[in-house]
Amino acid sequence: MSSERVQVAIVGAGPAGLLLGRLLHDAGITAVILEARSREHCEGRVRAGMLEQGTVDVLREAGVGQRLDREGLVHGGIYINFAGERHRIPIQELTGGRTVTVYGQTEIVKDLIAAHLQDGPPLRFEVGDVTLHDLDAPRLTYRHEGVEHELRADLVAGCDGFHGICRAAVPDGALTIREREYPFAWLGILADVAPSTDELIYAHHPDGFALHSMRSPSVSRLYIQVDPGDELDAWPPERVWEALHRRLHCEGWTLTEGPITDISITPMRSFVAAPMRHDALLLAGDAAHIVPPTGAKGLNLAVADVTRLAEAMIAALSGGDDRGLDAYSQACLARVWRAQHFSWWMTTLLHTDPTADAYAEELRRSQLEYVVSSDAAARSLAENYAGLPLDGPEHAVLARG
């Protein structure tokens, strides 16, 4: 068995693990990234694509913003459809200039992997049997290219997603779980067709929610609400497009169809595991929390986590200052719970709940009308959608700590 020692072991080569590795490397901290999947799998996963301004700024500072700046689509607002009418929420105007950018998570992963392979810390794909031992004095064992390895580290970053090994390594009883499953799912498609809209359209319809997003000037990303038990075979292309036309309908506007290149069904869930630190193990991103995608917060929360985590690790490993590590969980969870509430609110506002009665539907209609007619309500939506600044109110936790 080969043996190696680094300051930080990072489990998971999604955007959280890759970005953390990049930030640590730039500060002179030694790290290794372990990923169970292949490079091709990591670069091919279709995921989120709406970036808050803070996320864009961090990616630029990490040296991986060149293609983002060339190809990202900057938006100053979103549309909300209901009752056959379309209303615009002017996010940039309501938030003093903050915007959001459409740039696929897949492209972020490609950019980060390319940067790592050029001059970053070791990045090992297709590792097997990864096991985390001794959270207070971390040791990981794994198999790579037929060889057994041991990796010792001062700290471990669990960036391996909801089903990863890191959260599972926390002793029983040490985590408090808060979660909610929703009675609907999203069927998402990628289509080789130019978007039929300049900004995202969120639609509430009696048949169910729909969303018109995009990945580029020539690729559209669209979603419809379906039953969690639905199978893809029940949704041939003609049925998908029929549902999208009906739910996104607005007088004077036309949805353009195109070849579907990817289709999947994703259950809707809210999940938080706390605390996010256990001795030398620190959880980040989906390993610690999941939000329904309606509020576009999952990727942005992961970036906020690892931005704070990188600062804390650098201070501890370079200067012996552990205050950032001590405050990490509480500070992150302040942002996480704000995003949880907003994502839950957007989800319940825009989806058709098969368990709801007529009273609940009237409440939803009233709230939708309020959001599009009240500056105060629209501003609240805009501020949450654009995201808390990375130096937002959760930094007060650090000051108190």
Side-chain angles (χ1 to χ4, degrees):
M1 175 182 291
S2 70
S3 185
E4 182 179 12
R5 181 167 185 84
V6 293
Q7 290 172 290
V8 179
I10 301 171
V11 184
L18 291 167
L19 178 59
L20 177 61
R22 189 74 190 169
L23 296 172
L24 295 176
H25 177 74
D26 289 347
I29 302 298
T30 61
V32 169
I33 303 175
L34 305 177
E35 169 57 48
R37 306 282 189 161
S38 68
R39 176 182 178 181
E40 292 72 23
H41 179 88
C42 292
E43 292 184 337
R45 287 181 289 197
V46 177
R47 291 291 188 271
M50 181 62 75
L51 310 183
E52 298 172 1
Q53 184 63 57
T55 296
V56 172
D57 293 343
V58 169
L59 292 170
R60 287 173 178 157
E61 292 167 8
V64 290
Q66 298 89 341
R67 195 159 68 95
L68 165 61
D69 285 334
R70 289 196 311 270
E71 301 177 13
L73 307 176
V74 179
H75 290 181
I78 60 172
Y79 297 108
I80 294 181
N81 261 36
F82 68 97
E85 296 184 352
R86 183 162 301 162
H87 309 264
R88 185 172 186 266
I89 305 296
I91 291 173
Q92 187 171 14
E93 175 185 325
L94 291 168
T95 60
R98 288 152 61 194
T99 59
V100 293
T101 300
V102 174
Y103 187 70
Q105 178 174 318
T106 303
E107 305 311 313
I108 294 172
V109 169
K110 290 177 182 177
D111 295 342
L112 284 164
I113 287 176
H116 272 282
L117 295 180
Q118 179 178 345
D119 65 356
L123 172 53
R124 294 170 189 155
F125 294 104
E126 298 181 82
V127 301
D129 300 328
V130 180
T131 305
L132 174 57
H133 311 269
D134 306 324
L135 299 191
D136 56 341
R139 181 175 63 89
L140 293 100
T141 54
Y142 64 96
R143 180 172 37 79
H144 185 237
E145 297 179 345
V147 177
E148 301 295 326
H149 296 265
E150 178 186 69
L151 178 63
R152 294 183 179 273
D154 297 307
L155 298 169
V156 176
C159 303
D160 51 344
F162 183 77
H163 299 289
I165 62 104
C166 286
R167 189 179 73 250
V170 176
D172 291 344
L175 282 171
T176 298
I177 305 296
R178 299 284 184 262
E179 60 185 326
R180 172 166 295 179
E181 293 190 4
Y182 297 87
F184 36 75
W186 274 16
L187 183 149
I189 65 167
L190 276 178
D192 277 343
V193 61
S196 303
T197 179
D198 58 333
E199 294 175 332
L200 273 68
I201 304 171
Y202 288 81
H204 172 72
H205 187 275
D207 290 349
F209 168 82
L211 170 61
H212 189 325
S213 181
M214 63 281 292
R215 281 297 175 265
S216 75
S218 61
V219 176
S220 296
R221 180 70 162 150
L222 303 108
Y223 302 90
I224 54 175
Q225 175 186 340
V226 298
D227 188 273
D230 278 5
E231 301 286 344
L232 286 177
D233 290 346
W235 287 94
E238 57 271 19
R239 185 185 179 193
V240 173
W241 286 113
E242 179 187 4
L244 285 165
H245 279 288
R246 187 168 58 254
R247 299 182 194 189
L248 291 167
H249 172 74
C250 182
E251 194 69 33
W253 176 82
T254 301
L255 173 66
T256 305
E257 298 182 17
I260 295 175
T261 60
D262 184 86
I263 183 168
S264 61
I265 293 178
T266 304
M268 305 285 278
R269 159 187 279 139
S270 297
F271 176 90
V272 180
M276 292 170 60
R277 180 188 180 186
H278 302 271
D279 296 327
L281 170 65
L282 299 107
L283 303 174
D286 287 359
H289 44 75
I290 299 284
V291 289
T294 325
K297 293 297 164 215
L299 172 60
N300 294 293
L301 281 176
V303 169
D305 285 352
V306 298
T307 301
R308 180 176 298 282
L309 184 54
E311 294 175 354
M313 286 180 164
I314 292 165
L317 296 170
S318 297
D321 184 352
D322 289 339
R323 287 179 297 172
L325 293 178
D326 293 339
Y328 169 73
S329 180
Q330 187 180 358
C332 286
L333 288 170
R335 176 185 293 269
V336 166
W337 277 110
R338 175 86 301 273
Q340 286 283 341
H341 180 268
F342 176 67
S343 300
W344 165 84
W345 179 79
M346 283 281 283
T347 299
T348 54
L349 176 68
L350 293 165
H351 288 71
T352 299
D353 186 347
T355 67
D357 58 15
Y359 178 83
E361 287 303 318
E362 287 299 320
L363 289 179
R364 180 178 290 106
R365 178 195 56 76
S366 176
Q367 181 67 11
L368 282 164
E369 291 178 352
Y370 179 57
V371 165
V372 301
S373 62
S374 162
D375 286 346
R379 181 172 292 107
S380 176
L381 189 158
E383 288 177 347
N384 282 276
Y385 194 86
L388 294 172
L390 291 183
D391 59 350
E394 74 275 16
H395 272 253
V397 174
L398 282 178
R400 293 196 303 270

